[in-house]
Amino acid sequence: MSLNCTAASGTTICWIRIVGGVCRFGDRKRPITVRTLEWTRTVLTPAQLDCGKDQRPITGLTQPEAAALAKALGGRLPRSVEWEWAAAGSTGRAYPWGDDPPCARRANLRGGPGHATPVGAYPEGATPDGLLDMAGNVWEWTSSSTLGDGYVLRGASHDSPGLYAKSTFLNAAPAELASDGIGFRVVRQP
């Protein structure tokens, strides 16, 4: 794991380098090569962008708005296959933390608080590389489009059942949807 923390107007965004490789993508395990990228350690928060002290995820943005903000920060939204690679790793973990099922110590899912919580509140759910909140809390926009002007969502939300926390699970939403259950993280070239 390689941490690189940069300041955005006096606040800190931590970046983690995820070494690329061949992702066995989806339930069919289709091999797709993924490049090495730096990832924001968590979904972004207002505090990380010097927009207050709130440590909960930024939500309520459409996919184009999230993509524009990611670009303004020097990166972009991850592709669905990149997200899965970061969550499942080279071993194909069932969940971002490993193969053990979800529990209240690992992820904010249905049956938990019932709302988004501060990022990093579930450290036992971290990936081996140190990415936090890859399952639960809020869905995450990706740059992968779907039929009908939609985009793939990954990661599950605070209202999702445990099945949705699987590293291979994906969802979709219309690009113009602005929801309190969808946030985003940023990737960039190292």
Side-chain angles (χ1 to χ4, degrees):
M1 169 176 59
S2 171
L3 274 180
N4 176 13
C5 297
T6 57
S9 300
T11 59
T12 303
I13 297 174
C14 285
W15 298 85
I16 295 181
R17 181 180 292 232
I18 305 296
V19 176
V22 177
C23 179
R24 304 285 177 203
F25 184 59
D27 293 329
R28 293 186 179 169
K29 307 286 185 212
R30 186 169 40 123
I32 300 175
T33 300
V34 175
R35 296 166 53 170
T36 297
L37 293 169
E38 290 183 340
W39 290 70
T40 54
R41 187 172 193 195
T42 65
V43 292
L44 292 182
T45 70
Q48 291 169 328
L49 301 183
D50 201 22
C51 296
K53 297 182 188 232
D54 194 349
Q55 293 290 336
R56 292 172 299 170
I58 295 170
T59 60
L61 298 179
T62 66
Q63 195 279 348
E65 290 168 337
L69 187 49
K71 184 176 181 181
L73 293 169
R76 61 177 173 81
L77 299 177
R79 294 178 13 235
S80 182
V81 67
E82 293 165 342
W83 191 99
E84 187 169 317
W85 174 252
S90 61
T91 61
R93 295 181 297 275
Y95 301 96
W97 55 81
D99 293 328
D100 293 331
C103 69
R105 294 180 324 277
R106 293 189 185 106
N108 179 10
L109 296 164
R110 184 178 293 163
H115 54 81
T117 55
V119 297
Y122 300 87
E124 289 185 40
T127 68
D129 290 312
L131 295 176
L132 296 168
D133 301 321
M134 292 289 282
N137 217 15
V138 294
W139 287 102
E140 299 179 26
W141 283 118
T142 71
S143 63
S144 297
S145 61
T146 64
L147 296 174
D149 193 35
Y151 283 87
V152 173
L153 299 173
R154 300 303 292 257
S157 80
H158 55 80
D159 194 35
S160 298
L163 168 69
Y164 294 7
K166 286 192 171 260
S167 297
T168 57
F169 193 89
L170 54 85
N171 199 350
E176 68 276 3
L177 179 65
S179 167
D180 67 353
I182 305 173
F184 68 102
R185 69 178 73 222
V186 179
V187 298
R188 67 183 183 187
Q189 299 298 318

